[in-house]
Structures are given as C-alpha cells and as structure tokens.
Amino acid sequence: MYSSPTALEALTPFPNGKQKKEAQVALRNAARTFGPSSPTTSFVLEMTFKADGRAIAEAIAESVKPRQGGSGSDVKELENSIVQGVEAKGGQATKGTIFRFDCTEEGVSVSVDGNAQGTVKSAGIGSALVDVFMDDKAVSPQLVDSCLDTWCGKDLFVAV
C-alpha cells in the first residue's frame, strides 16, 4: 500500500501492537478519504504463482462488489481492465506479474506490468477497493498487520 503522509499520520497516536482494531479503522478511513492532502492510495500486487487472469479479475470484482454502492457496470469495467491487461501477456498472470491499482475520488486506474489498462471513473469505487485491502474483512490480513507494524506509533517526518 502506498498512500499520503496524511493517511500514515493517522496511525501515530496508536502504540505498536496496541489498539489494533482502532488503528486499522483509522488507517482504513484515512486511506479511503480522498482530498487535496490525500489524493491517491495505491496497491501494488506482485504474483508469487501462476494464475488465470480471468480468475484474478473475478476474485477482485467479487470483493469490490459488496463494498461499492455504484452500478454493477463499474465493477464489470474494473474486471475487464484486469482481464485485458493479463490477456495482453498471454492470459496468464505468471510469477512476477505486477498489478497496480491507483484509487482516487474519481475512480480506479489499473495497470498490469506497468502498462496502463484504463481508469474506471466512478465515485466510490476507489474507496471500495481500499476497503478490499484495509477493512475488517480484508482479503489480506497480513497486509493490514504489516502496515500497522510499520507505521503505528511512529513519528513520521515528511520533508516539505
């Protein structure tokens, strides 16, 4: 996860290893609230095994769908962007394939191995994708734990 200093600073009041649930909620809320000081939250996923592109896209879409209040066509567009990116490399996401999702107030931009696949422009879908990775039903609790272990209780210094 890559986010703004504002999102990371949301964790400074929480001692490392303490108040984990509260810290997770603070990070999630800060990462999914977009504005001038926090315009983008990005997730970069690197495949550690070979998988079918359609299966990956469907899994991500199924995770976004219940978290997104918009139309189902927005989620389908996200799914199609992922599929197109993997099809461009033969239909399989092999070990080392990198997916990047840039979540903003306006939507989600998708790239596969550095090749932009497009942007799904829909209010709410960016926050929904953040929730897939950061809410209490996150698809990777290990990611949440890693973020909390790295940033909780730290005085983050940002040079201006």
Side-chain angles (χ1 to χ4, degrees), residues 57 74-87 99 101 108-112 115-120:
D74 301 333
V75 175
K76 190 66 175 170
E77 187 179 346
L78 175 64
E79 183 178 341
N80 289 339
S81 293
I82 298 166
V83 169
Q84 289 170 0
V86 176
E87 283 180 352
F99 295 92
F101 302 95
V108 176
S109 296
V110 177
S111 67
V112 178
N115 298 310
Q117 301 305 310
T119 300
V120 180

Side-chain angles (χ1 to χ4, degrees), residues 83-116:
V83 169
Q84 289 170 0
V86 176
E87 283 180 352
K89 53 184 279 119
Q92 294 288 311
T94 55
K95 182 178 179 179
T97 299
I98 296 176
F99 295 92
R100 181 179 175 122
F101 302 95
D102 294 321
C103 306
T104 67
E105 186 174 14
E106 293 79 30
V108 176
S109 296
V110 177
S111 67
V112 178
D113 284 342
N115 298 310

Side-chain angles (χ1 to χ4, degrees), residues 44-57:
V44 177
L45 312 173
E46 182 174 352
M47 295 296 296
T48 58
F49 56 88
K50 181 178 175 181
D52 177 70
R54 188 161 300 283
I56 294 166

